[in-house]
Amino acid sequence: SQTIHQWPATLVQPVGSPLSLECTVEGTSNPNLYWYRQAAGRGLQLLFYSVGIGQISSEVPQNLSASRPQDRQFILSSKKLLLSDSGFYLCAFWSRSEAFFGQGTRLTVV
Amino acid sequence: AQTVTQSQPEMSVQEAETVTLSCTYDTSENNYYLFWYKQPPSRQMILVIRQEAYKQQNATENRFSVNFQKAAKSFSLKISDSQLGDTAMYFCAFMHYGNMLTFGGGTRLMVKP
């Protein structure tokens, strides 16, 4: 079966510290992968998507970057976090006409 | 680029009644998918219903049905016999094959007892 794992579930980081959120997918190959951010009570903003290893498309200029070192691994990073990076981050993959979502990471930058 | 608009930030409905959530989208593509996702307080994204644009018949899943108007680029969700567990954020989403999955801003639905 197809599954997606995203961690950590919650994270509190000081301003200026680095960030690494990881997402891995099982049960499928060469999936489209996505990172979204959701502000409290708001919609999902697409940050990055990837159609293959090393192929990253960025939708919004920001303090974040993404990488796909392996087919089923998608990483969201920052070298120096800003207060405005706080939010709920969701990883997702697309397979067989459906999107599957991770459990999300609640990031608080203090 | 595709855009998805949900014009109702919040809605409420009495338990057992019917409610309709609106969604419009803009695209130049002819073949695509449309979705409604539910996000309860746990924030887990749950697929409610899916519609393929080439299918003229409206999708239905138990108490959930859609009114898909391709020419008008409209995709509304009807929830019949509303239940307290339907209280959640609802997102409309658009996907052109193998491309970006774009979401609307969401509608917060409250089902009142």
mmCIF file of all heavy atoms in Angstrom, chain A residues 12-20 63 78-82 85 107-110:
data_model
loop_
_atom_site.group_PDB
_atom_site.id
_atom_site.type_symbol
_atom_site.label_atom_id
_atom_site.label_comp_id
_atom_site.label_asym_id
_atom_site.label_seq_id
_atom_site.Cartn_x
_atom_site.Cartn_y
_atom_site.Cartn_z
ATOM 1 N N VAL A 12 9.904 23.536 17.442
ATOM 2 C CA VAL A 12 10.076 24.907 17.889
ATOM 3 C C VAL A 12 11.544 25.263 17.672
ATOM 4 O O VAL A 12 12.425 24.600 18.208
ATOM 5 C CB VAL A 12 9.693 25.076 19.374
ATOM 6 C CG1 VAL A 12 9.899 26.528 19.801
ATOM 7 C CG2 VAL A 12 8.246 24.648 19.601
ATOM 8 N N GLN A 13 11.771 26.307 16.860
ATOM 9 C CA GLN A 13 13.129 26.673 16.491
ATOM 10 C C GLN A 13 13.345 28.172 16.716
ATOM 11 O O GLN A 13 12.441 28.968 16.467
ATOM 12 C CB GLN A 13 13.388 26.362 15.016
ATOM 13 C CG GLN A 13 13.423 24.869 14.679
ATOM 14 C CD GLN A 13 14.716 24.225 15.125
ATOM 15 O OE1 GLN A 13 14.759 23.600 16.180
ATOM 16 N NE2 GLN A 13 15.757 24.389 14.334
ATOM 17 N N PRO A 14 14.546 28.568 17.129
ATOM 18 C CA PRO A 14 14.818 30.004 17.269
ATOM 19 C C PRO A 14 15.065 30.651 15.921
ATOM 20 O O PRO A 14 15.469 29.993 14.944
ATOM 21 C CB PRO A 14 16.088 30.028 18.128
ATOM 22 C CG PRO A 14 16.742 28.715 17.906
ATOM 23 C CD PRO A 14 15.646 27.734 17.638
ATOM 24 N N VAL A 15 14.783 31.938 15.868
ATOM 25 C CA VAL A 15 15.080 32.719 14.664
ATOM 26 C C VAL A 15 16.557 32.584 14.325
ATOM 27 O O VAL A 15 17.420 32.616 15.205
ATOM 28 C CB VAL A 15 14.726 34.205 14.891
ATOM 29 C CG1 VAL A 15 15.264 35.060 13.767
ATOM 30 C CG2 VAL A 15 13.222 34.379 15.007
ATOM 31 N N GLY A 16 16.822 32.383 13.035
ATOM 32 C CA GLY A 16 18.205 32.287 12.574
ATOM 33 C C GLY A 16 18.767 30.886 12.565
ATOM 34 O O GLY A 16 19.859 30.649 12.031
ATOM 35 N N SER A 17 18.023 29.933 13.106
ATOM 36 C CA SER A 17 18.501 28.547 13.117
ATOM 37 C C SER A 17 18.134 27.861 11.799
ATOM 38 O O SER A 17 17.243 28.306 11.080
ATOM 39 C CB SER A 17 17.890 27.786 14.289
ATOM 40 O OG SER A 17 16.485 27.700 14.159
ATOM 41 N N PRO A 18 18.805 26.739 11.474
ATOM 42 C CA PRO A 18 18.471 26.024 10.234
ATOM 43 C C PRO A 18 17.247 25.132 10.419
ATOM 44 O O PRO A 18 16.812 24.858 11.541
ATOM 45 C CB PRO A 18 19.720 25.179 9.981
ATOM 46 C CG PRO A 18 20.280 24.952 11.341
ATOM 47 C CD PRO A 18 19.974 26.175 12.143
ATOM 48 N N LEU A 19 16.715 24.687 9.275
ATOM 49 C CA LEU A 19 15.531 23.834 9.288
ATOM 50 C C LEU A 19 15.716 22.682 8.313
ATOM 51 O O LEU A 19 16.259 22.866 7.216
ATOM 52 C CB LEU A 19 14.296 24.629 8.869
ATOM 53 C CG LEU A 19 13.009 23.830 8.668
ATOM 54 C CD1 LEU A 19 12.438 23.379 9.999
ATOM 55 C CD2 LEU A 19 11.979 24.621 7.873
ATOM 56 N N SER A 20 15.247 21.509 8.714
ATOM 57 C CA SER A 20 15.192 20.381 7.798
ATOM 58 C C SER A 20 13.969 19.543 8.139
ATOM 59 O O SER A 20 13.888 18.960 9.212
ATOM 60 C CB SER A 20 16.455 19.527 7.900
ATOM 61 O OG SER A 20 16.385 18.434 6.998
ATOM 62 N N ASN A 63 12.267 32.099 1.948
ATOM 63 C CA ASN A 63 13.478 31.768 2.700
ATOM 64 C C ASN A 63 13.714 30.262 2.750
ATOM 65 O O ASN A 63 14.543 29.794 3.510
ATOM 66 C CB ASN A 63 13.298 32.327 4.125
ATOM 67 C CG ASN A 63 14.513 32.166 4.964
ATOM 68 O OD1 ASN A 63 15.629 32.379 4.499
ATOM 69 N ND2 ASN A 63 14.329 31.751 6.207
ATOM 70 N N SER A 78 15.862 25.276 5.348
ATOM 71 C CA SER A 78 16.165 26.695 5.433
ATOM 72 C C SER A 78 17.514 26.842 6.130
ATOM 73 O O SER A 78 17.817 26.104 7.050
ATOM 74 C CB SER A 78 15.091 27.447 6.210
ATOM 75 O OG SER A 78 15.467 28.800 6.395
ATOM 76 N N LYS A 79 18.299 27.811 5.691
ATOM 77 C CA LYS A 79 19.583 28.053 6.346
ATOM 78 C C LYS A 79 19.400 28.901 7.593
ATOM 79 O O LYS A 79 20.081 28.721 8.600
ATOM 80 C CB LYS A 79 20.537 28.744 5.372
ATOM 81 C CG LYS A 79 20.966 27.867 4.205
ATOM 82 C CD LYS A 79 21.944 28.592 3.299
ATOM 83 C CE LYS A 79 22.383 27.695 2.149
ATOM 84 N NZ LYS A 79 23.321 28.384 1.224
ATOM 85 N N LYS A 80 18.451 29.857 7.525
ATOM 86 C CA LYS A 80 18.194 30.746 8.670
ATOM 87 C C LYS A 80 16.702 31.040 8.740
ATOM 88 O O LYS A 80 16.171 31.769 7.900
ATOM 89 C CB LYS A 80 18.979 32.054 8.524
ATOM 90 C CG LYS A 80 20.478 31.931 8.685
ATOM 91 C CD LYS A 80 21.143 33.304 8.649
ATOM 92 C CE LYS A 80 22.649 33.190 8.858
ATOM 93 N NZ LYS A 80 23.313 34.531 8.860
ATOM 94 N N LEU A 81 16.052 30.527 9.754
ATOM 95 C CA LEU A 81 14.612 30.705 9.879
ATOM 96 C C LEU A 81 14.234 32.126 10.260
ATOM 97 O O LEU A 81 14.946 32.800 11.029
ATOM 98 C CB LEU A 81 14.053 29.744 10.928
ATOM 99 C CG LEU A 81 13.896 28.293 10.491
ATOM 100 C CD1 LEU A 81 13.611 27.405 11.687
ATOM 101 C CD2 LEU A 81 12.800 28.157 9.445
ATOM 102 N N LEU A 82 13.099 32.564 9.733
ATOM 103 C CA LEU A 82 12.498 33.840 10.081
ATOM 104 C C LEU A 82 11.222 33.591 10.881
ATOM 105 O O LEU A 82 10.627 32.507 10.787
ATOM 106 C CB LEU A 82 12.153 34.632 8.816
ATOM 107 C CG LEU A 82 13.275 34.862 7.810
ATOM 108 C CD1 LEU A 82 12.705 35.488 6.538
ATOM 109 C CD2 LEU A 82 14.362 35.728 8.403
ATOM 110 N N ASP A 85 8.315 32.276 8.970
ATOM 111 C CA ASP A 85 8.320 30.883 8.505
ATOM 112 C C ASP A 85 7.443 29.981 9.370
ATOM 113 O O ASP A 85 7.210 28.809 9.025
ATOM 114 C CB ASP A 85 9.747 30.328 8.477
ATOM 115 C CG ASP A 85 10.608 30.994 7.410
ATOM 116 O OD1 ASP A 85 10.071 31.300 6.326
ATOM 117 O OD2 ASP A 85 11.811 31.210 7.668
ATOM 118 N N LEU A 107 5.422 24.096 12.749
ATOM 119 C CA LEU A 107 6.677 24.789 13.026
ATOM 120 C C LEU A 107 6.397 26.127 13.691
ATOM 121 O O LEU A 107 5.622 26.933 13.180
ATOM 122 C CB LEU A 107 7.458 25.022 11.720
ATOM 123 C CG LEU A 107 8.691 25.916 11.821
ATOM 124 C CD1 LEU A 107 9.764 25.247 12.680
ATOM 125 C CD2 LEU A 107 9.241 26.236 10.439
ATOM 126 N N THR A 108 7.041 26.340 14.825
ATOM 127 C CA THR A 108 6.958 27.624 15.513
ATOM 128 C C THR A 108 8.362 28.195 15.602
ATOM 129 O O THR A 108 9.264 27.563 16.181
ATOM 130 C CB THR A 108 6.380 27.476 16.923
ATOM 131 O OG1 THR A 108 5.107 26.843 16.844
ATOM 132 C CG2 THR A 108 6.221 28.839 17.585
ATOM 133 N N VAL A 109 8.540 29.369 15.044
ATOM 134 C CA VAL A 109 9.829 30.047 15.106
ATOM 135 C C VAL A 109 9.732 31.125 16.186
ATOM 136 O O VAL A 109 8.835 31.973 16.150
ATOM 137 C CB VAL A 109 10.200 30.672 13.752
ATOM 138 C CG1 VAL A 109 11.580 31.323 13.830
ATOM 139 C CG2 VAL A 109 10.182 29.609 12.656
ATOM 140 N N VAL A 110 10.653 31.060 17.149
ATOM 141 C CA VAL A 110 10.567 31.965 18.304
ATOM 142 C C VAL A 110 11.794 32.870 18.383
ATOM 143 O O VAL A 110 12.820 32.589 17.773
ATOM 144 C CB VAL A 110 10.414 31.159 19.605
ATOM 145 C CG1 VAL A 110 9.127 30.368 19.589
ATOM 146 C CG2 VAL A 110 11.611 30.228 19.819
#
